[in-house]
Amino acid sequence: DTGVSQDPRHKITKRGQNVTFRCDPISEHNRLYWYRQTLGQGPEFLTYFQNEAQLEKSRLLSDRFSAERPKGSFSTLEIQRTEQGDSAMYLCASSIDRGRDEKLFFGSGTQLSVL
Amino acid sequence: RKEVEQDPGPFNVPEGATVAFNCTYSNSASQSFFWYRQDCRKEPKLLMSVYSSGNEDGRFTAQLNRASQYISLLIRDSKLSDSATYLCVVNSYNQGGKLIFGQGTELSVKP
């Protein structure tokens, strides 16, 4: 399977716990995005990387959220001290930066439930 | 104001109907535009890019109006399999090039 891979598919945690998600992009893709999606809404931009550089982090993202892409390949998204409002689907997508023709390929997502 | 806004749904149409979705974007410097499709409990997938001259792919036609900052998607002869959420996506290079999604418009095609 050469698509975008996310792990785990589902995560149930208690409020206050830390969680970490992993994303493995398509191997030749230099861009990697994290989005969050709740029911009835479109994917909300969280952050993105070009190779290992984090280009932008959404203003909506609190300091409890951090993402890394240490070698420009896989990425991790960590949420510290989870809150019930963090419950959502966390989607990872990768692309090749082709300027105006950039197309995203998504993973299946990690569904987070905070109890 | 949201950066990308779409028609609120859901749209419920019979098979064979023609349906149109609209999307507006706030950043006049936006350069790239796309429609993605998302099936229930699945990840979004690219449906088509939207070009300035308008483009067509089978029963699907996408149009871009830069002056009014809106994008449209027309689906002709709707099929049951077209039932999904349609997401408008905009890329703004003066904002670092990130891709921003609208909230989506749900389409339900009935027999």
Side-chain angles (χ1 to χ4, degrees), chain A residues 31 33 35 37 40-43 45 48 55-56 89 91 97-108, chain B residues 2 31-32 34 36 38 43-44 46 49 51-52 66 87 91 93 95-104:
Chain A
R31 280 200 168 187
Y33 291 76
Y35 291 88
Q37 188 173 28
Q41 299 296 315
F45 170 80
Y48 77 128
L55 297 187
E56 185 173 340
M89 174 71 82
L91 292 164
D97 180 12
R98 288 189 176 135
R100 294 177 61 182
D101 200 34
E102 181 179 7
K103 296 179 177 63
L104 293 179
F105 294 82
F106 281 86
S108 299
Chain B
K2 290 185 178 179
Q31 294 293 325
S32 304
F34 309 89
Y36 278 69
Q38 186 171 27
E43 71 275 16
L46 178 67
S49 302
Y51 302 121
S52 296
R66 284 189 183 273
L87 297 159
N91 184 327
Y93 280 90
Q95 292 184 342
K98 65 180 185 285
L99 288 155
I100 301 296
F101 284 73
Q103 74 270 33

Side-chain angles (χ1 to χ4, degrees), chain B residues 61-101:
Chain B
T61 300
Q63 297 277 353
L64 168 64
N65 185 319
R66 284 189 183 273
S68 300
Q69 294 180 208
Y70 85 78
I71 308 146
S72 65
L73 176 68
L74 183 77
I75 305 175
R76 291 181 299 279
D77 189 23
S78 300
K79 310 291 184 191
L80 296 177
S81 57
D82 294 333
S83 296
T85 295
Y86 291 83
L87 297 159
C88 174
V89 184
V90 174
N91 184 327
S92 299
Y93 280 90
N94 69 341
Q95 292 184 342
K98 65 180 185 285
L99 288 155
I100 301 296
F101 284 73

Side-chain angles (χ1 to χ4, degrees), chain B residues 6-20:
Chain B
Q6 297 185 234
D7 284 339
F11 282 48
N12 297 300
V13 302
E15 267 188 296
T18 295
V19 60

